[in-house]
Amino acid sequence: MTAGLALLLAVSAGEPQAAAARTPAAETALPAVTVVARTSGHGWALRDAHGREVTLRGFNVSGSTKLYENDLLPFRSVADAATSAQAMRDLTGANAIRFLISWEGVQPTPTGVDTSYLDRAAAQIREFTDRGFYVLLDYHQDLYSAHLFHEGSWYTGDGAPQWVIAGGNYPRESCGICLLWGQNMQNNAAVRRAMYDFWHNRTITTPAGPVAVQTAYLTQATAALTHLRRVLPATAYGNLLGVDPFNEPFDGGTDGASGTAWEQTYLLPFYQRFRAAMDAAGWADKPLYAEPLVFWNTGFFESGGLSTVGALGTRYVFNSHYYDGARMTLDPSPATDGTYAAAMNRIRNRAAQLGTAPIVSEFGNKLTGTGSDRTPWMVRAMYQAMDAGVAGADWWARPRSGGAVLSSMMWHWDIYNDRHHELMNGNPDKVLTENDAWNDEDHSVVYVNEVGDVVPRLDHRVLDRVYPSAVAGETLAFTYEDLARSGYGGAGTERAWLTVPPSMPHLAALLAGRQYGVLVWRQPPTAPTAPTVLHLPASFDPARTVVVGDLDTRYGLPSTGAVSVATEPGSTTAHRLVVDAPAGSVHVLLVANTADGRPVSPATLAGARAELLAWAAPL
């Protein structure tokens, strides 16, 4: 242990916060997730200790970490974290979150980490790990720091503590006529200079003496991760995926170089240093989730994407965000079937080039304001492209062309939506209460109603989805027809995007106007030590759900057998399909929601099975 790390661990140390009363849900330990090469398809995948290919699906918790009213944490109390975790598990079947923390929260002074802040974070994390969630720890920043902005500013930031900004002696910030907060990254001299200093590890003057700013960041991260490793129970630590060390990195100035050259010169060395910090803190068994230059894939031809850094390898995960920059600004067209296939395939392909697995740790769109009427199908199309990187109109003809299922966490899940009380930049005359209470954003997919229930704002059919949370082998093809409507709360147009070709009439008759998912996978010669699992949405009543495949074909799901229904760990209401399949062969499973009352005859099921098996045979 270095002297600096020892000092950080010693100063500001306090007794861990007393744990709140535990919920009845049993603590749920999950198998560790690592990165492995795929043998049946392109690239690398996340795989658990049972040998199963894992898909992570969930949400960011949350933008409230940017707010001082929340003490720079996602939740104001452990009880709120428990409420949020339980609702997320029950309403969506999510199995993963990206949990935000703040550099300013961890290190409010240059001489020590605030262990009470870390203890509160650990207590909130446990409410999710106890309910069967994987957790990605995210050091979050936007525009580098709130302390760069003055009381009358149109915008604010989050991340670096006040002592860092004071030591940098930056000019009064101004973005000019900026219509979007992200424009500050390019137009605001104070923001750019501060970010430039971070990447160049400038030495600043602080009350504790001269400090090299990036080195200070890495030292506090080592101390924070060391503390969390010590205070989290082994089961909770086991559910941690790793660390996202810097949200949405931007350059602050490239000195005339390209974005890819900047990534190679500054961003990659930072990640390598942070990787060493994780190892020193006892996190050597967890990958680092490395984000590229923030604008690499927003649609305006920016460079980046870690395309010139060589192979990252399996101790890293390629961690991209995706926002439709064109539709957020200039493009008035709606999203529809296949809109985002190319964008998500670009993420898949870039991860493969880097020798690691991909994840989309942020995606989504605003839920109010100009253009938000298109958001429901934008989100639907993003999920579709993460399920399968090919349009639904083409999927049955070429199901393997879209690559592996992408793991993802949507931005975001905020139970305080429209219930905030944030003094923007400390200004008592600018109290923000509506939406996300941060830079006019409104992205939360839930709100809390007048009786205290957590309620989805988007159509539940786009948020609560069939997805293969764990596949005992390797996924060859997957897709899901959610039938999510074009409006909010189930309003608007319903239109199927995944159409069964007329060459399979029994399947077409069975699936017309119904939600359904299809999974094709190969079991290895030596079977994994746990079964394949798919989340079953709440709209799928097990008693009126159909499965069709080589292992079983039936109307109504049994509680035992090759294909059975079970309760999701950590929930009393959410369900999953559990599939026990023989090793060394390819299997296909279709699951359909037939709760609409239309009859399903034995002849239709038999015909559908024959068509499905014939279709899957060449795969």
Side-chain angles (χ1 to χ4, degrees), residues 345-414:
N345 285 340
R346 189 181 182 198
I347 293 171
R348 290 179 172 97
N349 293 336
R350 184 56 51 81
Q353 293 163 8
L354 290 165
T356 190
I359 191 171
V360 183
S361 65
E362 280 191 31
F363 69 99
N365 198 51
K366 59 186 177 181
L367 275 72
T368 55
T370 303
S372 61
D373 58 313
R374 298 175 298 164
T375 294
W377 272 8
M378 287 174 67
V379 172
R380 180 189 183 190
M382 290 176 192
Y383 271 118
Q384 180 201 44
M386 290 184 291
D387 287 344
V390 60
D394 300 326
W395 187 84
W396 285 98
R398 47 190 189 97
R400 293 190 65 178
S401 63
V405 184
L406 277 174
S407 292
S408 65
M409 288 93 155
M410 190 176 176
W411 185 269
H412 67 125
W413 183 284
D414 178 16

Side-chain angles (χ1 to χ4, degrees), residues 315-460:
R315 301 193 74 214
Y316 298 80
V317 171
F318 180 58
N319 175 15
S320 182
H321 293 179
Y322 183 74
Y323 292 99
D324 187 343
R327 284 182 176 81
M328 290 171 67
T329 52
L330 303 175
D331 183 356
S333 67
T336 187
D337 177 29
T339 294
Y340 298 116
M344 296 303 172
N345 285 340
R346 189 181 182 198
I347 293 171
R348 290 179 172 97
N349 293 336
R350 184 56 51 81
Q353 293 163 8
L354 290 165
T356 190
I359 191 171
V360 183
S361 65
E362 280 191 31
F363 69 99
N365 198 51
K366 59 186 177 181
L367 275 72
T368 55
T370 303
S372 61
D373 58 313
R374 298 175 298 164
T375 294
W377 272 8
M378 287 174 67
V379 172
R380 180 189 183 190
M382 290 176 192
Y383 271 118
Q384 180 201 44
M386 290 184 291
D387 287 344
V390 60
D394 300 326
W395 187 84
W396 285 98
R398 47 190 189 97
R400 293 190 65 178
S401 63
V405 184
L406 277 174
S407 292
S408 65
M409 288 93 155
M410 190 176 176
W411 185 269
H412 67 125
W413 183 284
D414 178 16
I415 61 172
Y416 308 117
N417 180 264
D418 268 348
R419 296 186 176 203
H420 291 285
H421 192 274
E422 176 74 2
L423 278 62
M424 184 174 179
N425 296 316
N427 188 343
D429 295 325
K430 294 181 72 173
V431 180
L432 305 183
T433 60
E434 297 180 345
N435 303 330
D436 297 345
W438 194 84
N439 285 344
D440 293 325
E441 285 198 344
D442 184 18
H443 279 66
S444 178
V445 300
V446 294
Y447 74 102
V448 175
N449 67 14
E450 62 279 1
V451 296
D453 295 328
V454 180
V455 180
R457 299 173 69 194
L458 287 173
D459 188 343
H460 66 90

Side-chain angles (χ1 to χ4, degrees), residues 444-509:
S444 178
V445 300
V446 294
Y447 74 102
V448 175
N449 67 14
E450 62 279 1
V451 296
D453 295 328
V454 180
V455 180
R457 299 173 69 194
L458 287 173
D459 188 343
H460 66 90
R461 288 176 293 187
V462 79
L463 298 177
D464 188 15
R465 311 177 61 78
V466 173
Y467 71 95
S469 55
V471 174
E474 292 187 340
T475 302
L476 302 182
F478 173 73
T479 193
Y480 178 51
E481 173 55 77
D482 56 40
L483 290 181
R485 290 181 176 268
S486 61
Y488 289 86
T493 301
E494 179 180 290
R495 182 178 301 137
W497 289 354
L498 184 63
T499 306
V500 181
S503 59
M504 297 188 286
H506 290 93
L507 276 171

